[in-house]
Amino acid sequence: MQFKNAKWFVVGLFLISGSISSAASFTLSKGAGYQLEPLYGYETVYRDYPSPHLNTRLMYGARLTAGTDLISGELEYTKASDTEDFSTAPEKIRTEDEKLKLGVRSTYRFNNFFFATGRLGGQATKEIRKETSGGVETTKEEPVKYNPYAGASLGVKLGPISVNVSSTVIFRDGADMSKNDYQNTVSVGVGY
């Protein structure tokens, strides 16, 4: 009796795996696919308040990519926050940023395992700044800012899993490159 149940279990697994692979080959054209990547890394951002300076902080988020190697669309959401202390008023500034990127990317595969990717698009940034002066905290929500971005990554792919190391520049001021933001991330993607 146990052997009979095991046989049906194996037959069921065979049918399910065959159905999944048939569905994938039916719904995705050859060379097309999607990938979902959780992101983790750090970014260096330009601050013009209270005085011009750069600040480095940790960030996290997720990226969805769909298309072919030649051209794919990408949607990325990241979030970061930091607290800076100053000797004069305001004594403390906490900044919370949410960023949404929409763009395109192109991938070159060196072989079945290693690849390089270039990307470009636009980013929308929502910033909330909390200032503490003399023990009083005030909150200010900045207007949403829109900036172009460009970047590159190197990665390794093993089946549906890939690991990417990438760097992206967000162009804040075309005349002064020192005001650009820089994001460096490591991501582990899953997709077909």
Side-chain angles (χ1 to χ4, degrees):
M1 196 69 159
Q2 291 176 348
F3 177 74
K4 185 176 182 179
N5 289 338
K7 180 175 93 172
W8 286 111
F9 178 74
V10 170
V11 169
L13 282 177
F14 179 76
L15 291 174
I16 289 171
S17 64
S19 298
I20 291 171
S21 64
S22 295
S25 65
F26 177 73
T27 58
L28 299 174
S29 64
K30 185 174 172 85
Y34 66 92
Q35 185 162 333
L36 180 61
E37 300 172 84
L39 303 170
Y40 185 74
Y42 69 93
E43 64 182 355
T44 301
V45 293
Y46 176 80
R47 300 268 191 241
D48 55 5
Y49 182 82
S51 62
H53 65 284
L54 294 173
N55 190 23
T56 300
R57 63 190 182 172
L58 293 175
M59 58 170 281
Y60 62 93
R63 178 186 307 131
L64 176 64
T65 306
T68 64
D69 281 353
L70 180 60
I71 189 160
S72 297
E74 68 177 4
L75 179 65
E76 178 181 296
Y77 171 80
T78 57
K79 190 168 185 172
S81 63
D82 61 84
T83 303
E84 297 179 282
D85 295 316
F86 300 96
S87 57
T88 59
E91 293 90 21
K92 184 184 282 188
I93 298 177
R94 176 164 178 79
T95 307
E96 299 172 359
D97 289 342
E98 291 182 83
K99 299 176 180 179
L100 186 66
K101 287 183 179 67
L102 181 62
V104 295
R105 61 176 36 215
S106 185
T107 300
Y108 175 77
R109 298 196 183 273
F110 298 106
N111 54 35
N112 288 337
F113 303 105
F114 298 100
F115 61 92
T117 302
R119 63 192 296 226
L120 58 93
Q123 173 180 281
T125 304
K126 177 183 173 186
E127 179 180 299
I128 297 174
R129 189 168 60 217
K130 297 178 182 178
E131 298 179 23
T132 304
S133 293
V136 178
E137 182 179 274
T138 58
T139 301
K140 182 179 181 185
E141 188 171 326
E142 297 289 329
V144 175
K145 296 176 186 153
Y146 301 94
N147 302 98
Y149 71 86
S153 68
L154 293 173
V156 62
K157 184 168 180 67
L158 301 169
I161 307 290
S162 67
V163 178
N164 300 297
V165 177
S166 55
S167 185
T168 304
V169 179
I170 295 88
F171 300 100
R172 295 171 51 109
D173 186 348
D176 187 356
M177 296 297 277
S178 68
K179 294 183 179 180
N180 295 337
D181 294 347
Y182 300 90
Q183 294 178 333
N184 299 296
T185 60
V186 174
S187 61
V188 177
V190 177
Y192 295 93

